[in-house]
Amino acid sequence: LAPWVPVVGLEIHAQISSNSKLFSGSQVQFAAPPNSLVSFFDASLPGTLPVLNRRCVEAAVMTGLALNCSINKKSLFDRKHYFYADLPTGYQITQQRVPIAVNGSLSYSLCMDNKMSQMVTKTVRIKQIQLEQDSGKSLHDDARRQTLVDLNRAGVGLMEVVMEPDMCCGEEAAAAVRELQLILQTLGSSQAVMAEGQLRVDANVSVHHPGEPYGVRTEVKNINSIRFLAKAIDYEIQRQIEELENGGTILNETRAFDSRLGCTVPMRDKEGKQDYRFMPEPNLPPLILYDAKSLPANMNHEQVINIDWIRERLPDLPSVKREKLVEQYGILPEHSFTLLNEDGLADFFENVVEQTQMKPKKVIGWILKDLLSYLKQHSLSVKESPVSSLLLADLLNLLEKKVISSTAAKQVLAELWKGEGKTPLEIVKEQKLQLLQDQKELEQICQAVIDGQENE
Amino acid sequence: QVSAALKEGHVTPTELCQRCLALIKSTKVLNAYITIAEESALKQAEASEERYKRGQPLGVLDGIPIAVKDNFNTAGIETTCASNMLRGYISPYNATVVQKLLDQGAVLLGKTNLDEFAMGSGSTDGVFGPVRNPWSYSRQYKEKSVPKSHSEDKESNWVITGGSSGGSAAAVSSFTCFAALGSDTGGSTRNPAAHCGVVGLKPTYGLISRHGLIPLVNSMDVPGILTRCVDDAAVVLGSLAGHDPKDSTTIQDDFKPFELPDLTDVSKLSIGIPKEYHAPGLSSEILALWSKAADLFQNAGAKVVEVSLPHTRYSIVCYHVLCTAEVASNMARFDGLEYGHRSDVSESTESMYAATRREGFNDVVRGRILSGNYFLLKQNYEKYFVKAQKVRRLIVNDFMKVFRSGVDVLLTPTTLSDAAPYVEFIKEDNRTRSAQDDILTQAANMAGLPAINVPTALSERGLPVGLQFIGRSFQEQQLLTVAKWFEKQIQFPMIQLEEIKRHDHGVLQDQKSTSFS
């Protein structure tokens, strides 16, 4: 049987973290009462006009720079027309002709064969990043044969990040999205929490034989977590292979991932061949960005965005942070991945290292094995840890100073998890876990044991 | 004049307001108003009176009764666009231009009639019926009109106002208000101004905010100003122009209101006469008037030159493509879901949309939506929309070239003829009429240039005919200065409204003060 080459591309919508929406002043907030965050413009009241939110543009520029894109100094806005209950104006304002950023790349790492010690780095090309409006939400109430529309989300700013079909499986896609998520969170341009709809991923999947042209692709939607992303893609790849091997064909269609059944199904309201009748958005002039060279001398700083100024203020990206952790603390690369993968864990680790004499190479074990596994067991985030970095540092100091053995330390830690407010030293004293340091005393005990033995 | 009268206490704002309201009632047959905001107008007048008593009027416009075309949002007052789609729609906000006028103390009498969604050149295609030109009832027209038979109802040969801002033009022309807002996308302010014998100003695109103006073509619409004299237009312009953060297409530059000088020496002026504006169908009367006007300037020492705008003949077709495309897009929001008319049909969202839009829009609107969507289809976009955009640039370049060659202002006719009788006008459909009537005004919208209609003379039928001046971008001061000079030279006659409509002779005498500045 000839081998199959799966091809995976991604379209990712990241909600911009901003106080107000992309073109209007209404607030951006998750889970507010329905239709409480809707301005006249969001409701499409006739006569209202869009006004571009500066913060959203900055977020897109930051993201573009972090993804090694060229930032287009002039980009344009367009209207994409279709009718749907959650789209009040009958069109979405997006950037179809000239988006704000193009031609970037994202590097991500995978463990080969599930062995953390063998990490491989891959790259996916970023085709473009465009600014566009989010739609509202519609809930279909089949029982009462009605549709409920909530426009709170209508008009919220989105960055659509398009990843070229450089990936080959669910694992790669998941790793790429995870890395993008970390980058967005580091930049602060999006909180990128999938569960809250701040990061939505659609996958384009196709298969072909090596040397032949790409196969027909399907679009997979309705993926609510990174774990499901990998599952959905792998399922779809398998489905397509089986279909083709059985002599069938793949339709260019949109499919939804059913997380319960673990499979993809054709979407009920298939759009078919939609003609979006793209047209330039006449109420928004071209978006002009400047850099240090092109910035006119007497330009009002408030009125313009300077790409170089933003570039200079970019925080360390995850990949840089990992390198620094490895270099500074002598930990292994795979350790740095885990540290950054858990929100707050890297900071926790650094705090402990600061407050203890134990070497970082030894501290990392306690962090990654003992602390992390406990948190995972009880589904707690690092923030919610009953054991603070100070407490752990105290404990590790006792261990370093040989006041207790490592077995005893684990016992103390178990006690600390109870979160009863006792310090490590208190627990040690309570449970009499101190190591005896006095040579003479030790000799006496040993002698007593030997004597006892002889007596039997 | 009336502003001075208010200041000196010869007349109070409430008296003025009441007289206007009374006149509106007695001229009901014109159908110029859709909504009369009597209560709020009187309240505004009272507030203005208080300010005058304290000697603290807000400005020249304080207490001045005005009317606003019904496609501008007015908070708390119905805004219908003369369409079933927005019947009963009470907007929660004021358009920026409305707010500015109110902030200056103007008294908003009501919303004026128009073609549905401003699509048309007659103000005949709105759901509230056509607007009648006040000149239909003037002695000047009646004297010249020959009834076809004795039994013929004198009322039946009333003439149209032109459009689409016919209601606003009629309101100003019949003295029911001192200034009115219209909108101008292809000539919708200048056309009715010409037919009703009033000043109609189309400002440069980007000078006045469109926030709150329900759009027809976003890239060409501007709020228009209708007044009885050029000085008044300058005053209203001064209160409206300037950057609005809510409208990203307004320019950022500071705008300084200006007073128009009384020009005496026109020798430094260069007037351009574009030969292409001698359009097919131009009446010989208007052609003669145009020629006379050119001579007037020349005899006064100005340089009058013939110029060419070679792409003029493509502007109507180009406009048709771009206008319908934007209309298709702008009308997409009318789905009955959030506001406006909603059909009872509710089997599915799609069927509700379809029924709502069929019930809410008239044929003209629906026709433009269908055309526009056709041009925006992927396979047609390059052929039509992009091509039209390119032709638009050529039209713009024509103007730029002419202005660069030293011409200050262009002089052209505004309309092809005087106002047609309604029964004649409706013999052709809206699309045909619009294509014919927009031909002289439309290119200025393509190029975003300022243009003004100045009432010039009466036709053989006793109806007003105007001439148009087109100026350079943002050079309203120059444009209006020239217009004012011209206005002074020609002394356009005042309308003599007949007994039939006059409710009170005394009322009318005061109303006849032509200006408020």
Side-chain angles (χ1 to χ4, degrees):
Chain A
L1 233 51
W4 288 101
V5 179
V7 174
V8 179
L10 298 175
E11 268 167 37
I12 300 164
H13 288 91
Q15 238 183 39
I16 298 174
S17 172
S18 60
N19 289 328
S20 53
K21 297 183 180 180
L22 183 56
F23 296 116
S24 71
S26 41
Q27 216 195 334
V28 178
Q29 194 190 313
F30 184 66
N35 293 314
S36 60
L37 304 172
V38 184
S39 69
F40 298 153
F41 174 77
D42 303 329
S44 78
L45 292 195
T48 51
L49 300 168
V51 181
L52 186 55
N53 178 335
R54 186 207 172 101
R55 157 71 189 160
C56 293
V57 179
E58 288 171 350
V61 172
M62 276 198 289
T63 307
L65 291 172
L67 296 177
N68 305 306
C69 295
S70 309
I71 307 292
N72 282 325
K73 294 227 200 57
K74 176 173 165 184
S75 61
L76 306 170
F77 289 100
D78 303 288
R79 292 186 182 178
K80 178 180 180 182
H81 300 86
Y82 62 93
F83 285 102
Y84 205 71
D86 62 15
L87 194 66
T89 29
Y91 57 83
Q92 175 202 38
I93 302 179
T94 176
Q95 293 189 299
Q96 187 244 4
R97 288 169 293 155
V98 185
I100 192 167
V102 291
N103 297 337
S105 65
L106 169 67
S107 293
Y108 59 97
S109 292
L110 290 177
C111 325
M112 294 308 295
D113 310 319
N114 268 329
K115 285 193 212 150
M116 281 298 289
S117 50
Q118 290 198 44
M119 304 212 78
V120 90
T121 305
K122 296 212 168 204
T123 309
V124 59
R125 290 167 298 155
I126 306 288
K127 178 165 185 234
Q128 64 187 53
I129 300 175
Q130 65 202 54
L131 282 167
E132 58 185 37
Q133 291 174 307
D134 207 344
S135 64
K137 281 208 190 122
S138 56
L139 299 154
H140 300 292
D141 179 355
D142 288 324
R144 289 196 196 82
R145 290 191 69 232
Q146 60 184 9
T147 302
L148 307 167
V149 181
D150 175 12
L151 296 179
N152 281 349
R153 203 183 65 179
V156 171
L158 292 177
M159 295 178 286
E160 179 175 328
V161 179
V162 181
M163 290 189 181
E164 299 276 27
D166 296 340
M167 295 162 282
C168 70
C169 59
E171 196 190 358
E172 286 191 0
V177 171
R178 181 68 187 122
E179 188 66 7
L180 176 67
Q181 198 177 36
L182 287 175
I183 291 175
L184 293 172
Q185 286 166 351
T186 304
L187 293 172
S189 57
S190 171
Q191 284 163 34
V193 175
M194 276 183 91
E196 290 185 7
Q198 293 161 341
L199 192 71
R200 285 166 245 156
V201 184
D202 299 331
N204 292 315
V205 181
S206 73
V207 296
H208 65 276
H209 290 302
E212 284 177 15
Y214 280 16
V216 175
R217 70 161 194 251
T218 62
E219 190 186 13
V220 182
K221 286 170 117 69
N222 197 39
I223 300 165
N224 299 326
S225 74
I226 294 187
R227 205 166 56 88
F228 286 149
L229 175 66
K231 272 186 118 177
I233 290 172
D234 289 336
Y235 172 85
E236 180 61 18
I237 291 171
Q238 258 326 106
R239 184 192 77 84
Q240 289 194 11
I241 290 175
E242 276 168 25
E243 182 70 35
L244 290 170
E245 286 187 343
N246 288 334
T249 51
I250 305 298
L251 295 170
N252 174 215
E253 61 177 351
T254 304
R255 298 175 72 89
F257 179 66
D258 184 324
S259 50
R260 244 184 350 106
L261 302 173
C263 65
T264 64
V265 294
M267 279 182 81
R268 240 179 335 120
D269 44 32
K270 227 167 61 161
E271 287 166 357
K273 287 281 183 183
Q274 267 267 20
D275 192 328
Y276 292 113
R277 291 163 281 128
F278 284 100
M279 183 184 96
E281 168 56 70
N283 292 316
L284 292 169
L287 175 58
I288 310 287
L289 304 174
Y290 297 91
D291 55 23
K293 256 192 286 186
S294 65
L295 192 63
N298 53 350
M299 190 68 102
N300 185 353
H301 176 72
E302 302 283 304
Q303 293 287 337
V304 299
I305 287 184
N306 181 343
I307 301 167
D308 288 330
W309 193 88
I310 293 178
R311 193 198 309 268
E312 282 159 24
R313 282 158 187 75
L314 287 177
D316 279 344
L317 294 181
S319 52
V320 173
K321 276 198 202 165
R322 288 185 203 115
E323 273 170 28
K324 284 190 175 170
L325 284 171
V326 167
E327 216 188 280
Q328 200 174 348
Y329 300 113
I331 57 176
L332 296 173
E334 55 258 37
H335 292 161
S336 70
F337 267 92
T338 316
L339 279 182
L340 253 54
N341 222 25
E342 293 305 318
D343 193 24
L345 192 59
D347 285 339
F348 193 98
F349 166 69
E350 291 192 276
N351 285 339
V352 171
V353 166
E354 227 178 290
Q355 295 167 100
T356 180
Q357 294 112 17
M358 183 182 281
K359 287 236 162 32
K361 275 189 183 165
K362 282 178 79 179
V363 174
I364 194 75
W366 286 90
I367 298 286
L368 295 183
K369 278 193 268 198
D370 301 88
L371 180 80
L372 194 57
S373 59
Y374 180 83
L375 290 175
K376 289 283 176 219
Q377 248 177 50
H378 295 102
S379 297
L380 293 171
S381 67
V382 173
K383 263 194 292 250
E384 295 164 331
S385 171
V387 179
S388 68
S389 58
L390 180 61
L391 284 180
L392 185 58
D394 277 351
L395 177 59
L396 297 181
N397 280 340
L398 292 178
L399 183 54
E400 268 304 280
K401 285 191 269 204
K402 297 206 184 4
V403 174
I404 52 176
S405 69
S406 69
T407 333
K410 291 212 202 284
Q411 237 179 290
V412 175
L413 190 54
E415 193 63 32
L416 281 174
W417 287 131
K418 294 190 188 151
E420 283 165 7
K422 299 185 214 165
T423 68
L425 196 56
E426 283 167 5
I427 298 173
V428 164
K429 288 203 174 119
E430 253 177 49
Q431 301 191 14
K432 299 203 206 298
L433 296 167
Q434 309 92 309
L435 288 174
L436 292 177
Q437 307 279 23
D438 188 342
Q439 183 89 340
K440 268 227 175 111
E441 218 184 317
L442 284 168
E443 279 178 6
Q444 277 178 357
I445 295 174
C446 290
Q447 192 62 50
V449 171
I450 295 171
D451 291 344
Q453 288 272 20
E454 283 179 353
N455 284 342
E456 275 162 23
Chain B
Q1 285 168 316
V2 87
S3 191
L6 283 171
K7 223 167 162 184
E8 285 160 34
H10 293 317
V11 66
T12 67
T14 43
E15 280 171 349
L16 202 56
C17 181
Q18 278 158 348
R19 288 184 195 175
C20 286
L21 289 170
L23 197 56
I24 293 175
K25 290 204 180 87
S26 68
T27 54
K28 234 172 85 167
V29 69
L30 297 177
N31 200 19
Y33 287 82
I34 294 176
T35 305
I36 302 165
E38 189 160 340
E39 246 187 74
S40 59
L42 284 168
K43 278 212 196 90
Q44 287 161 15
E46 277 161 22
S48 170
E49 196 156 312
E50 279 302 302
R51 290 190 290 268
Y52 274 105
K53 280 206 188 115
R54 286 195 308 247
Q56 295 172 333
L58 292 167
V60 175
L61 290 174
D62 202 339
I64 303 290
I66 55 155
V68 167
K69 187 175 180 183
D70 208 14
N71 59 354
F72 285 91
N73 278 275
T74 43
I77 301 172
E78 202 172 327
T79 300
T80 68
C81 294
S83 174
N84 275 325
M85 192 58 92
L86 288 177
R87 235 182 164 138
Y89 174 70
I90 310 266
S91 169
Y93 74 101
N94 277 324
T96 298
V97 289
V98 171
Q99 191 60 56
K100 284 190 168 186
L101 288 173
L102 293 175
D103 287 344
Q104 289 285 306
V107 172
L108 178 57
L109 296 174
K111 310 295 289 296
T112 57
N113 204 350
L114 58 153
D115 283 302
E116 182 162 339
F117 279 109
M119 298 185 202
S121 58
S123 304
T124 51
D125 281 323
V127 294
F128 298 104
V131 183
R132 298 188 185 195
N133 193 328
W135 286 84
S136 312
Y137 302 95
S138 66
R139 186 171 302 151
Q140 291 105 324
Y141 177 62
K142 299 224 174 211
E143 275 170 5
K144 298 291 178 72
S145 69
V146 179
K148 301 228 173 64
S149 71
H150 282 295
S151 56
E152 189 190 71
D153 181 5
K154 268 197 178 159
E155 297 274 295
S156 70
N157 65 343
W158 58 267
V159 297
I160 57 164
T161 51
S164 59
S165 312
S168 285
V172 173
S173 170
S174 61
F175 305 108
T176 58
C177 65
F178 289 84
L181 288 185
S183 66
D184 196 313
T185 307
S188 292
T189 290
R190 292 161 285 155
N191 176 297
H195 286 318
C196 294
V198 297
V199 170
L201 171 62
K202 174 212 168 296
T204 311
Y205 182 89
L207 183 61
I208 299 186
S209 172
R210 289 180 299 112
H211 168 78
L213 166 60
I214 297 174
L216 177 59
V217 182
N218 284 291
S219 64
M220 296 185 208
D221 289 350
V222 290
I225 298 170
L226 294 135
T227 55
R228 291 201 274 276
C229 70
V230 177
D231 273 327
D232 288 354
V235 170
V236 177
L237 178 70
S239 71
L240 295 181
H243 176 63
D244 182 7
K246 297 196 187 111
D247 178 353
S248 308
T249 59
T250 52
I251 50 159
Q252 308 265 356
D253 303 357
D254 279 327
F255 173 82
K256 291 191 190 61
F258 48 80
E259 253 185 56
L260 295 176
D262 268 310
L263 193 62
T264 45
D265 174 23
V266 296
S267 59
K268 298 207 185 61
L269 208 55
S270 170
I271 308 287
I273 309 289
K275 63 180 186 195
E276 290 82 4
Y277 278 64
H278 183 164
L282 186 64
S283 82
S284 48
E285 264 189 313
I286 296 189
L287 183 59
L289 263 160
W290 187 19
S291 201
K292 260 175 81 179
D295 291 340
L296 191 69
F297 276 100
Q298 191 153 45
N299 295 337
K303 184 167 157 220
V304 178
V305 287
E306 189 189 73
V307 296
S308 175
L309 299 169
H311 296 93
T312 302
R313 63 197 171 113
Y314 301 120
S315 72
I316 283 293
V317 154
C318 179
Y319 175 69
H320 178 71
V321 171
L322 297 177
C323 171
T324 53
E326 285 216 35
V327 164
S329 179
N330 292 332
M331 296 296 142
R333 66 184 61 206
F334 296 104
D335 52 24
L337 216 53
E338 302 86 12
Y339 49 82
H341 172 66
R342 187 197 281 204
S343 169
D344 289 328
V345 171
S346 60
E347 275 91 63
S348 67
T349 314
E350 284 79 24
S351 62
M352 189 275 278
Y353 280 5
T356 295
R357 289 162 72 80
R358 188 183 58 242
E359 292 163 16
F361 291 138
N362 72 5
D363 283 350
V364 179
V365 178
R366 296 213 308 273
R368 292 199 194 189
I369 292 173
L370 288 169
S371 299
N373 277 325
Y374 176 78
F375 296 133
L376 289 177
L377 289 175
K378 206 163 166 185
Q379 72 254 31
N380 292 331
Y381 184 71
E382 284 284 323
K383 260 195 302 189
Y384 293 100
F385 190 87
V386 175
K387 260 273 160 62
Q389 291 277 54
K390 292 182 178 173
V391 172
R392 184 176 181 176
R393 176 154 304 285
L394 292 177
I395 293 170
V396 172
N397 288 345
D398 277 356
F399 282 107
M400 296 298 106
K401 209 163 147 204
V402 163
F403 285 130
R404 261 200 306 267
S405 73
V407 167
D408 297 307
V409 155
L410 297 168
L411 169 63
T412 80
T414 313
T415 55
L416 294 174
S417 66
D418 57 4
Y422 177 71
V423 293
E424 289 297 317
F425 185 79
I426 52 170
K427 284 186 181 160
E428 297 277 9
D429 64 55
N430 182 295
R431 193 170 145 228
T432 308
R433 287 296 182 208
S434 298
Q436 291 165 346
D437 301 332
D438 286 347
I439 209 158
L440 301 168
T441 47
Q442 199 287 303
N445 296 88
M446 284 285 215
L449 297 172
I452 185 170
N453 171 76
V454 180
T456 307
L458 293 183
S459 68
E460 266 172 27
R461 289 162 65 215
L463 293 172
V465 164
L467 288 176
Q468 172 180 236
F469 293 93
I470 304 175
R472 299 173 197 222
S473 282
F474 303 107
Q475 299 302 313
E476 271 78 356
Q477 186 166 9
Q478 180 178 59
L479 178 69
L480 291 170
T481 302
V482 173
K484 181 173 166 176
W485 181 88
F486 182 69
E487 176 187 60
K488 202 156 156 207
Q489 306 306 310
I490 50 163
Q491 307 262 325
F492 180 76
M494 194 183 301
I495 185 175
Q496 289 164 21
L497 284 168
E498 291 277 82
E499 287 284 353
I500 301 169
K501 283 172 42 270
R502 258 185 344 197
H503 154 85
D504 169 9
H505 185 94
V507 172
L508 211 53
Q509 285 304 103
D510 281 313
Q511 297 304 104
K512 280 179 182 173
S513 50
T514 52
S515 79
F516 53 76
S517 52

